[in-house]
Amino acid sequence: MNLVAFRTNPTRAAQDEWKFQCGEGVLQYIETHRRLLDSHNVREVVSYSRSGLSDRKKGAVTTFYFALLTGRAFRLIGDVWPGIYRSEINWTFTNVKMKQYRERKDVAYVEVPCNDNYGKGTHLRHLYESGNVNKAWERYTSIVLDTCFDWAELLFNNPHHMLQLYAMGLRPESATGCALSLLFNIRSDVLEPYRN
């Protein structure tokens, strides 16, 4: 049983397989995410990138783990997502333009340029390596992470979050794959021309 089966038909066996792949903590976060979207004052982490599709997905993985660890809703901004991917889990492919986010005073906008030597020396990379993400930009309602780097593996050496991630059932060798499987399910009409 794979993640696609879990999303379309969440049988007990599929849920058990999903827990094996990504851990119970991610499964619990999905329910937390749904409750957050139903609340009026949603605290969120938004993934945004102007780079290519692959880099956008890597940035989304980094942003997803920030949302998971802070208990905030995860959102994606970009026109490409609904055109290619679908998800039974509402990651809110928001049509809000970046300009609207930048104008709000309750938004922290964090940019790590893609040509920045894997983000070495940046505040965001340092946060993933050894900082406490729960303390970062906590006064802001929304945090926009504009990055094209996948730093999920750095969190497994982070003294603030290593045990937390392991307790959720996540492992460094599968964390990126887990997030990619969860976030990006290619629409069947996009795949259809390639089936034969």
Side-chain angles (χ1 to χ4, degrees), residues 122-194:
T122 64
H123 177 71
L124 187 59
R125 179 171 171 133
H126 174 72
L127 186 63
Y128 275 73
E129 289 175 326
S130 59
N132 185 344
V133 299
N134 290 302
K135 301 288 184 194
W137 308 290
E138 62 186 335
R139 69 180 179 94
Y140 292 95
T141 303
S142 299
I143 302 167
V144 177
L145 299 184
D146 181 351
T147 184
C148 62
F149 300 114
D150 171 11
W151 290 327
E153 80 280 358
L154 297 177
L155 290 166
F156 286 91
N157 292 318
N158 180 315
H160 297 283
H161 301 295
M162 177 175 53
L163 295 177
Q164 183 183 3
L165 291 166
Y166 276 101
M168 289 179 177
L170 289 159
R171 299 296 178 262
E173 63 272 8
S174 61
T176 296
C178 165
L180 288 172
S181 295
L182 181 64
L183 299 174
F184 303 108
N185 183 15
I186 297 179
R187 289 182 13 211
S188 59
D189 61 319
V190 173
L191 287 176
E192 192 58 41
Y194 305 100

Side-chain angles (χ1 to χ4, degrees), residues 8-20:
T8 57
N9 182 19
T11 64
R12 184 68 191 163
Q15 289 179 11
D16 289 344
E17 177 66 21
W18 173 240
K19 281 190 260 184
F20 174 75

Side-chain angles (χ1 to χ4, degrees), residues 3-55:
L3 180 57
V4 173
F6 169 74
R7 285 189 284 218
T8 57
N9 182 19
T11 64
R12 184 68 191 163
Q15 289 179 11
D16 289 344
E17 177 66 21
W18 173 240
K19 281 190 260 184
F20 174 75
Q21 289 178 357
C22 294
E24 181 71 34
V26 175
L27 207 54
Q28 290 171 358
Y29 172 75
I30 293 168
E31 294 308 315
T32 300
H33 173 80
R34 288 180 174 141
R35 282 194 308 276
L36 287 169
L37 290 181
D38 289 338
S39 68
H40 292 291
N41 296 321
V42 178
R43 293 178 60 80
E44 64 187 358
V45 182
V46 180
S47 179
Y48 174 73
S49 179
R50 293 157 290 185
S51 56
L53 184 61
S54 178
D55 285 340

Side-chain angles (χ1 to χ4, degrees), residues 79-99:
D79 298 336
V80 69
W81 305 123
I84 300 173
Y85 302 104
R86 68 167 172 75
S87 180
E88 286 76 19
I89 302 162
N90 182 7
W91 299 121
T92 310
F93 299 109
T94 179
N95 291 325
V96 175
K97 300 297 181 202
M98 202 63 241
K99 182 180 177 193

